[in-house]
Amino acid sequence: MDEAFALEQLEKIKPEIIIGVDSGLSFLYHHQVMPTRIVGDFDSVPPEVIHYYRTETKVPIQEFLPEKDDTDTEIALRLAIDMGVSRLWILGATGTRLDHVLANIQILTIAQEAGVFAYLVDRWNRISLIEKEATLTRENAFGPYFSFFPLGGSIPGFSIQGAKYPLKDYVLSPYESRCVSNEFLEDEVRITFPQGKVILMETRD
């Protein structure tokens, strides 16, 4: 985890609910950030860290066996939804394990279908899902580049307006790289499509 970036985001967002997930709990512990809830199998948490929360705090802890059906991130995401959040920022979920990164992108669907805006965020990327339409503004952009990938199959009628590389009624396919690394031409970029889910990656170097 990029700890400096994570601290910046916590200061910027000022979340009312913080869920410490497995190794992310060590980050919270070392920076004296008190979580609201703790979940995970704790296979990558030093024993003294989880011991501290068990004995010195009243933070509710949900512990799971390492051999479980869902990832720690999915368990935490579902917990956040149950706790009534409307927006969810997931930090430390885009590390070196690409299998985990892909899984974390896909489970954004769970949040979207529950009406929760969820983002995977690191220093270089902000990843979210869009459905039917979205407007990106230069002023609020995470970075100068944005890319689109279909989730769950091809997206017919995919259109982009206001970008350097516009599209109209295009079939966005999961088997090509046509919509990678677009840029703003106008101050607003409008994306529309009639059905399906699309991964939006806002990126910077």
Side-chain angles (χ1 to χ4, degrees):
M1 177 186 290
D2 185 333
E3 296 195 1
F5 175 79
L7 288 171
E8 290 170 8
Q9 291 299 295
L10 288 175
E11 178 61 28
K12 177 181 177 180
I13 298 168
K14 300 185 185 304
E16 296 181 3
I17 294 173
I18 298 175
I19 300 177
V21 184
D22 212 28
S23 61
L25 189 60
S26 296
F27 161 79
L28 297 175
Y29 172 81
H30 289 300
H31 293 283
Q32 300 180 337
V33 178
M34 188 62 68
T36 310
R37 299 283 288 271
I38 295 170
V39 300
D41 53 33
F42 311 130
D43 59 353
S44 56
V45 178
E48 64 271 17
V49 173
I50 191 62
H51 177 75
Y52 164 77
Y53 287 106
R54 281 177 174 149
T55 61
E56 302 296 329
T57 78
K58 296 182 179 180
V59 178
I61 298 172
Q62 292 178 257
E63 184 171 1
F64 299 84
L65 293 173
E67 298 80 12
K68 57 188 185 302
D69 293 332
D70 302 327
T71 64
D72 291 330
T73 306
E74 180 176 342
I75 291 169
L77 181 145
R78 290 184 182 277
L79 174 60
I81 293 170
D82 289 343
M83 294 178 73
V85 302
S86 58
R87 291 186 180 271
L88 176 61
W89 288 265
I90 306 174
L91 304 174
T94 55
T96 56
R97 285 286 302 270
L98 293 184
D99 54 344
H100 283 204
V101 175
L102 286 173
N104 291 338
I105 292 172
Q106 292 183 103
I107 64 173
L108 293 176
T109 303
I110 299 170
Q112 187 190 57
E113 293 182 348
V116 174
F117 295 95
Y119 310 89
L120 294 177
V121 186
D122 63 28
R123 188 174 294 277
W124 299 279
N125 309 278
R126 182 169 67 189
I127 305 169
S128 58
L129 296 184
I130 57 177
E131 192 170 16
K132 292 189 178 180
E133 60 182 11
T135 299
L136 308 181
T137 64
R138 195 193 300 268
E139 180 182 7
N140 296 317
F142 185 79
Y145 310 109
F146 47 89
S147 302
F148 304 99
F149 304 90
L151 182 63
S154 297
I155 304 293
F158 188 78
S159 298
I160 305 173
Q161 295 176 297
K164 183 177 181 180
Y165 307 109
L167 283 175
K168 184 174 176 59
D169 293 331
Y170 182 73
V171 178
L172 182 61
S173 167
Y175 312 115
E176 59 183 38
S177 57
R178 177 75 178 270
C179 286
V180 172
S181 197
N182 209 331
E183 301 177 44
F184 285 90
L185 180 63
E186 301 175 7
D187 289 337
E188 288 191 352
V189 170
R190 180 77 170 164
I191 302 101
T192 58
F193 51 100
Q195 60 187 29
K197 301 180 189 298
V198 170
I199 301 165
L200 165 63
M201 291 191 177
E202 301 172 78
T203 57
R204 56 197 182 197
D205 292 326

